[in-house]
Amino acid sequence: MSLGIIGSGAYDHRGGGGNYLCLPNDPKYDKYTNSWETTGAIYGTEYEVSSFNPFTNNLHNHDAPCAVCFVRSRGSQLMIPARNDCPSGWAKEYHGYLMTAHYGHQSTRDFICVDWEAEYVPGSQSDKDGALLYLVQGVCGSLPCLPYVSGRELTCAVCAK
C-alpha cells in the first residue's frame, strides 16, 4: 500500500481534469520551471462535511489523504454505490460514504467511495478550498423514491474478487 494525498482541479475552475487522483507524497520531477504559466492545475482536496459528518473522525476542512492498495490474490475490484456490503463471493475491502464535488460548482468530478473511518492529513485544517469532497444524497424523481430516500446520504462499498 502506498499513501498520498487526493488531488484534483479547483472546485471553481471550468477546465482541467475531472477526476480525483491519488498523488504520491514524494513527487519526482524531470524538466520544469518554478514560475506559474497558464496551464492545467491540480490542487489538494479537502473534506466539506460541516452540515453532517457521518465519519468516525472530525474531517471538515481537513485535507484528504489516499491509499493505493494491491491485493495479489484478487484480480477484480468493484465500487458499489448505495450499498455498504458486497455481493456473494466478493470480499469487502472497506465501506463508507459516496462523495464527489458539490452539485452547484462549475466543474464535475468522479464519485469516489471514502472509508467510514476516513483519515485526514495531520495539521491540515486550514480551509484552503482547492478541490472539495461532499457527501452524495439521493434525489427522488427520476431516481425512484423507495427504495431511495430524498436527502439521505448514500453509502458505498469497495469489493474485490
Side-chain angles (χ1 to χ4, degrees):
M1 176 173 16
S2 71
L3 300 175
I5 186 162
I6 299 175
S8 195
Y11 76 96
D12 57 352
H13 288 181
R14 291 184 186 271
N19 56 336
Y20 293 102
L21 298 174
C22 188
L23 299 170
N25 285 325
D26 56 347
K28 293 185 178 180
Y29 298 96
D30 283 329
K31 295 180 181 180
Y32 61 88
T33 67
N34 284 329
S35 61
W36 177 253
E37 290 90 28
T38 306
T39 64
I42 194 162
Y43 296 80
T45 302
E46 67 184 41
Y47 299 106
E48 293 291 326
V49 290
S50 63
S51 61
F52 176 67
N53 180 16
F55 299 99
T56 57
N57 289 316
N58 179 10
L59 300 177
H60 185 65
N61 283 338
H62 281 285
D63 293 340
C66 58
V68 176
C69 302
F70 174 72
V71 181
R72 184 178 309 276
S73 62
R74 299 182 184 133
S76 299
Q77 177 188 314
L78 175 65
M79 190 273 281
I80 302 176
R83 296 289 304 206
N84 60 10
D85 58 1
C86 296
S88 179
W90 290 76
K92 181 169 67 174
E93 300 299 323
Y94 66 91
H95 73 277
Y97 292 90
L98 200 61
M99 298 189 84
T100 193
H102 189 279
Y103 74 92
H105 289 167
Q106 295 182 20
S107 56
T108 59
R109 300 282 182 267
D110 292 341
F111 292 97
I112 62 173
C113 187
V114 176
D115 193 312
W116 74 283
E117 294 182 306
E119 298 179 13
Y120 55 83
V121 176
S124 67
Q125 190 176 14
S126 58
D127 194 19
K128 294 182 179 164
D129 285 344
L132 304 174
L133 283 172
Y134 288 84
L135 292 162
V136 174
Q137 299 174 332
V139 179
C140 290
S142 55
L143 189 64
C145 286
L146 297 181
Y148 289 91
V149 177
S150 202
R152 188 172 288 177
E153 288 74 18
L154 294 174
T155 59
C156 56
V158 173
C159 309
K161 187 174 186 175

